[in-house]
Every structure is written in C-alpha cells, then in structure tokens.
Amino acid sequence: MSSLIPIVGAAQNYAWGKYGSKSAVAQFSHSNDPSVSIDETKPYAELWMGTHAKAPATLKDNRKKLLSDVIASDPSKYLGSKVLSQYPTTNGGLPFLFKVLSINKVLSIQAHPDKSLGAKLHVADPSHYPDSNHKPEMAVAITDFEAFCGFKPLPEIDVLLQKIPEFYQLVGAEVAQTFHDKISSASREDGRRLLQSVFGKVMTASPETVAKYAKKMVARTKSQPELFGPVLADLIQRLNSQFPDDVGLFCGCLMLNHCFLNPGEAMFLHAKEPHAYISGNIMECMATSDNVIRAGFTPKFKDVDTLVSCLTYTTNPVEEQKQKPEDFARGTGDAKFALYNPPIDEFSVLQVKFEARTGLSAHIAGIHGPSIVIVTDGSGEIAVKGEKSQKAEPGYIYFVAPDVELSLSSSSSGSPFTLYRAFCELE
Ligand SMILES: [Zn+2]
C-alpha cells in the first residue's frame, strides 16, 4: 500500500451543528465522497478523521476497510517506531483525533482532567469517565470563530458582579462583597480561592434559583443594555435563546473570556481550564479520550463537585489564551507554513497555504510519525516522492505514513489552496 492513503471521515450529527449544506462538515463529506447526500433538515456538527472506534475513518477506495486495519497490519510502518513505543496499539489506533467542527449553537461549557485526575475519575466513576487519559484540545479557526476560553481577569468579574444585580444576588452578598473587598490585595493563591468561591456559588445554586435570576437578567439586557455593553448583551440574549435560563449565562457569559479568533488563529485548551465553543468552523485536534467535566449549556450529566474542586482558577487575558503559530523549517517552496505546536506529545497541527494562483509548488520533508491531511480551500495535487500525484480538493482527506516527503502543487486561481495536517512526532 502507498504511504499516502485517501480516506473518508465520519460525520456526526450533534444538535449544535450547522444545518445541511451550510455546514463545512456536510460540504467536505459530500465533496470527498459524492455518494454522500446532504440532508438539509439535519445538523452536521463534526467530521471525525481518525481511528476512534465510535466513528472510524475508512479507505476511499474500499469503504469496508478501516484506516485502523491498515495501521494494525504494520504498526511500525504506519506509526513509526517511536510513536509506536510510546503509544502501543493492537488495533491500529492513532494517539490523536483530528476533526472539522461546524458550530451553530454553543457547546457545553466544560473542562478536561489532566492525566492524574483522569485516572482517579475513571476508577471512581467509569460510566461518566470512560478512560483514564487526559484530553488536551486545540482549535484552529477556519472561519471567524467565537468561544469561551478560561476565566476573565478578576477585576472584570468584579465589575460585572457589582453592576449586574442578578449576578450579585445569585452569588450572595457575603461572597460577592468579600470578593470585591479582597481581590485588589490578594496573592495569586488567594485570588484563586476567591474566584473558586464565586464560581462555586453559581454552580451549586438550585436550577430554580438560577432560572429566576436568569430571566430577570435577560430582561435587563433589554431594559438596560448599557449595563452590559452591546457585545455581552447580545451574547446573553443569543445564548439564552439556545439554552433558556441556563447557568451558563452566569458561569460562561459573565465569568469566562469571550474570545474571537480570525481564520488561522488558534487556541490550546489546557487541562482543567473551562471552555466552550460558541460559533464558527474550526479544525480541532485532541488526544484520544472522552473525558469531559461539564458545567453549563448542556442537558448531560454535570459533576459539579469535581468541576468546582478541580479547576486551576488561573485568569489570563484573551490574547494569552491563543496558541501562536511557529515557523516550520521542513516546509519549502511557494507555500506559507504555520505550525501550531502545543505543549503536549500527542499532536501538532500544520497549516499549509498557497496564494490564489495556479502552478505554485511546495515540499514537506518527512515527519517521524503518522499524519492526517485535509484540504479546506482551493485545489491542487498531492504526492509522495516517487509516486503518482493525487487530486487535492476541499474535503479530500489523506493518511500519510511517517518519513515520506510530500509534494504539493496548486491549481486553483479563485481561492488559496489550503491544507491542514495533524501529526504526532516525538522529540
Ligand atoms: Zn473541550
């Protein structure tokens, strides 16, 4: 088998996805496999490109065969010896899962455990924590993208607490006043404890209490919008229409950073940091795991005690939450390369982008681990050195074996030929 294998991903129709052909997930699925028809009445939320048993990728030339079967047939060829020894597999599993997300409605506010907490939770409650792994995630925006990411700086939370009566009342006068009085002189550790006390009050309030204050607050965004400012007032109204009277209006809208990413900007979500995606299309890469601790905007199980006790309660401005792209020395030629390289072993993501012209070319020297490549814009060709080149159009996905040189050439003039490549390479 070639070292460059065309594959087909698996679409997931979660309720928060964009509908029908408005969804990048549906567009890509149909373009990669025209026999897939798009149902305009269905949401298309995620396209999984990997070996996860819940929705595994298959070979484009033989839809009955899984990518994981190919990898399992010769793991050292398809994963490389280093990756194989760190992430041993008997069933051809990759250490990462690469996805396209097309988001119409806010996802649940959540955090993920680190490795030691993941192991503990899995032992104590395996039905809610299905594995013992950590779950670092990174999102790279492919359209304008909006998310919650980490706690707002304490003074910003304090201003909202003092200004918005329903927030103050939900938290209670005692905790709210202590927070206000102490944050300016608090040590970093005390600041964390103060933030935890406010967050704990919000998260442990009864649903009836939350609903009562949420209704009043939403009404206030209309009667006194100047109290919130136009962006926050709009956000609260919008998310309330998606999840009426939800605790996420408080623990999300009023306590977490509201981040906007331009296409090509990325954020890495550290363990034990609260986050939620709100709208837009992204490439997402994560370590293979299903461990999620949820806080709001969800009908699913919320483990409030674990959540309140485990978060780091660090606060950072939005700009510091972003994962800055680095240069990528192994890429040469006419394309621009941006490497998103978060501080974990399981994955990095490379963006390769040409200008909107035909006849440009670029090369990428071998990466010492497995990769998945998807074309998101424009068109061109892709080849492994010494082999016949293959078409590369939006939605086309390839698995690339370790240590082979890739050649790319552009053939689109309307839009810039653009690819994303997730890979695992160990130092
Ligand atoms: Zn997450």
Side-chain angles (χ1 to χ4, degrees):
M1 177 136 345
S2 164
S3 299
L4 179 67
I5 305 172
I7 58 172
V8 173
Q12 302 276 23
N13 304 95
Y14 306 135
W16 50 260
K18 293 193 186 184
Y19 275 78
S21 45
K22 287 196 197 82
S23 166
V25 169
Q27 291 163 19
F28 289 162
S29 300
H30 176 73
S31 152
N32 192 24
D33 179 2
S35 75
V36 172
S37 58
I38 301 177
D39 182 344
E40 296 296 337
T41 67
K42 260 195 190 168
Y44 291 81
E46 300 192 353
L47 181 64
W48 290 26
M49 303 176 283
T51 53
H52 199 292
K54 215 169 103 183
T58 55
L59 304 198
K60 199 168 175 176
D61 303 337
N62 177 3
R63 300 295 306 277
K64 289 198 185 98
K65 189 152 185 177
L66 303 179
L67 171 62
S68 54
D69 294 338
V70 175
I71 296 172
S73 72
D74 193 347
S76 67
K77 172 180 174 181
Y78 291 109
L79 299 180
S81 53
K82 266 195 177 171
V83 170
L84 182 60
S85 73
Q86 181 151 339
Y87 303 105
T89 176
T90 50
N91 56 7
L94 291 169
F96 62 86
L97 177 58
F98 198 26
K99 297 178 177 177
V100 179
L101 268 62
S102 200
I103 303 150
N104 182 45
K105 240 167 96 166
V106 67
L107 278 72
S108 58
I109 298 174
Q110 55 187 250
H112 307 292
D114 57 13
K115 280 184 182 161
S116 74
L117 180 62
K120 255 189 245 164
L121 292 172
H122 178 60
V123 169
D125 186 358
S127 68
H128 289 118
Y129 301 102
D131 60 77
S132 61
N133 203 2
H134 66 162
K135 193 192 180 210
E137 294 172 331
M138 183 170 66
V140 186
I142 53 178
T143 61
D144 288 342
F145 170 63
E146 183 189 12
F148 289 125
C149 184
F151 283 105
K152 288 177 191 286
L154 301 182
E156 283 184 36
I157 296 174
D158 185 45
V159 167
L160 293 169
L161 206 45
Q162 299 303 317
K163 238 179 9 184
I164 300 171
E166 293 75 24
F167 188 22
Y168 189 93
Q169 288 156 10
L170 180 64
V171 169
E174 194 188 327
V175 168
Q177 203 52 46
T178 306
F179 185 80
H180 177 68
D181 294 341
K182 294 209 169 145
I183 56 159
S184 56
S185 60
S187 67
R188 187 176 283 208
E189 197 42 50
D190 289 341
R192 288 189 183 134
R193 264 195 290 275
L194 289 164
L195 177 56
Q196 184 180 31
S197 67
V198 171
F199 186 73
K201 280 287 195 177
V202 171
M203 294 313 301
T204 53
S206 73
E208 297 73 29
T209 309
V210 170
K212 179 177 86 181
Y213 290 124
K215 278 192 176 66
K216 280 193 185 170
M217 178 171 73
V218 172
R220 195 183 293 280
T221 61
K222 292 167 189 159
S223 62
Q224 284 180 283
E226 69 284 357
L227 218 53
F228 299 82
V231 176
L232 182 56
D234 167 75
L235 181 70
I236 291 172
Q237 288 168 17
R238 196 157 36 106
L239 299 194
N240 187 63
S241 72
Q242 299 175 3
F243 284 91
D245 308 334
D246 194 272
V247 69
L249 299 176
F250 295 97
C251 72
C253 300
L254 301 182
M255 299 194 72
L256 303 184
N257 285 309
H258 184 201
C259 312
F260 295 91
L261 267 57
N262 296 314
E265 286 191 308
M267 61 188 203
F268 176 66
L269 305 156
H270 292 267
K272 305 200 271 191
E273 294 288 354
H275 58 273
Y277 302 149
I278 302 173
S279 71
N281 294 335
I282 57 170
M283 300 305 311
E284 187 186 46
C285 203
M286 61 184 60
T288 306
S289 166
D290 268 331
N291 277 330
V292 182
I293 311 167
R294 291 183 182 83
F297 298 131
T298 179
K300 292 188 186 163
F301 170 73
K302 286 184 219 171
D303 187 349
V304 169
D305 292 344
T306 299
L307 180 79
V308 173
S309 66
C310 89
L311 299 180
T312 63
Y313 296 102
T314 52
T315 60
N316 283 309
V318 171
E319 279 311 306
E320 286 172 32
Q321 304 279 358
K322 291 184 183 172
Q323 177 71 37
K324 305 272 183 308
E326 301 166 15
D327 292 339
F328 184 69
R330 281 175 284 173
T332 53
D334 303 321
K336 276 205 175 115
F337 298 90
L339 177 67
Y340 305 91
N341 188 20
I344 43 108
D345 287 338
E346 284 88 345
F347 61 82
S348 304
V349 173
L350 177 68
Q351 184 206 53
V352 186
K353 193 171 181 180
F354 290 83
E355 281 174 37
R357 284 200 280 142
T358 65
L360 302 175
S361 64
H363 301 273
I364 304 171
I367 285 175
H368 311 305
S371 314
I372 303 259
V373 176
I374 179 169
V375 181
T376 57
D377 203 3
S379 62
E381 297 204 324
I382 184 169
V384 162
K385 205 175 180 177
E387 294 181 10
K388 197 168 147 274
S389 59
Q390 308 193 46
K391 266 185 161 182
E393 298 192 348
Y396 282 38
I397 312 167
Y398 291 92
F399 174 82
V400 188
D403 301 311
V404 296
E405 185 179 313
L406 274 188
S407 303
L408 299 163
S409 60
S410 70
S411 63
S412 60
S413 48
S415 40
F417 183 35
T418 309
L419 308 96
Y420 286 88
R421 178 177 188 174
F423 60 91
C424 175
E425 182 177 65
L426 302 167
E427 302 290 311

